Amino acid sequence: MNIETLLLVIESILLTFTIFLLLYSIKEGRERKKLILQVERATKTLTRLEYFLTVIESMMDAKTEVIACITGRHPSGDDEKKVREIVDAIRRLRAKGIIVRYMLPKFYDRLYTGYLYTVAGAEVRFSACHMIHSIRYMIVDQEVVVIGIPESAGEKEATKKGYRILSPGLALILRDHFYRCWGENLDLSGYLMEVLHQTGASIDQLAMELGISREELVKFTKD
């Protein structure tokens, strides 16, 4: 074997080895990218506790407006403390003159949460709009969006996790969704009267079922 042939063989071996390293590097880069995306998704996903903490922190960063489309389920267990913290946050925001509006599904058992938020100073309305049952979100200053996700499909399922997204574009879309439903719905007083009329229940009966004093409910009844 002459020197030219030997050099050609060595060059071929080096070229093959280079191609192998290049292919391995490409594969490793793809796997690394997948791992980074998975980690990024994991860091954006919020547990139920983190979701509530993020909601409150985002509220306290508000400068002009907080609007939210929520389930408004009657709190129980650990959720009672979370709801009290949200109520406190609403009071602090309203003291600064910040707009706070909540839209809840038109289920009579949501009157309790609607009552708490209304007393704290928020504007609350109860909606029969079908879109409210399929999405839960909060928008802060038309910039930050916190989206809640139920553990399983269903309009009455509790929010188990969520996402915090800084996106003025998404905030604009969801804000439009919110206000398309907002103007057509009843406030606490109007919905309370509707429930009393439709069910035939008395103030005393409804007060007992909701866990709100009769005197408090009477304040929101109309002639």
Side-chain angles (χ1 to χ4, degrees), residues 148-185:
I149 307 295
E151 187 173 38
S152 57
E155 60 191 26
K156 295 188 178 182
E157 292 297 322
T159 302
K160 293 297 184 182
K161 59 182 180 180
Y163 298 89
R164 185 181 187 276
I165 305 169
L166 179 59
S167 172
L170 178 59
L172 181 63
I173 292 171
L174 292 177
R175 190 173 186 273
D176 178 67
H177 165 273
F178 182 91
Y179 280 110
R180 273 188 286 134
C181 293
W182 177 258
E184 304 171 359
N185 299 293

Side-chain angles (χ1 to χ4, degrees), residues 1-17:
M1 181 182 294
N2 56 39
I3 188 65
E4 290 82 7
T5 303
L6 180 60
L7 289 174
L8 182 60
V9 170
I10 294 174
E11 186 177 353
S12 298
I13 293 173
L14 291 174
L15 179 60
T16 301
F17 185 71

Side-chain angles (χ1 to χ4, degrees), residues 4 10 15 21 29 45 75 80 98 124 137 149 154 162 205 209 212:
E4 290 82 7
I10 294 174
L15 179 60
L21 289 177
T45 301
E80 292 183 6
I98 296 171
V124 175
Y137 56 80
I149 307 295
Q205 291 171 326
E209 185 165 351
I212 303 173

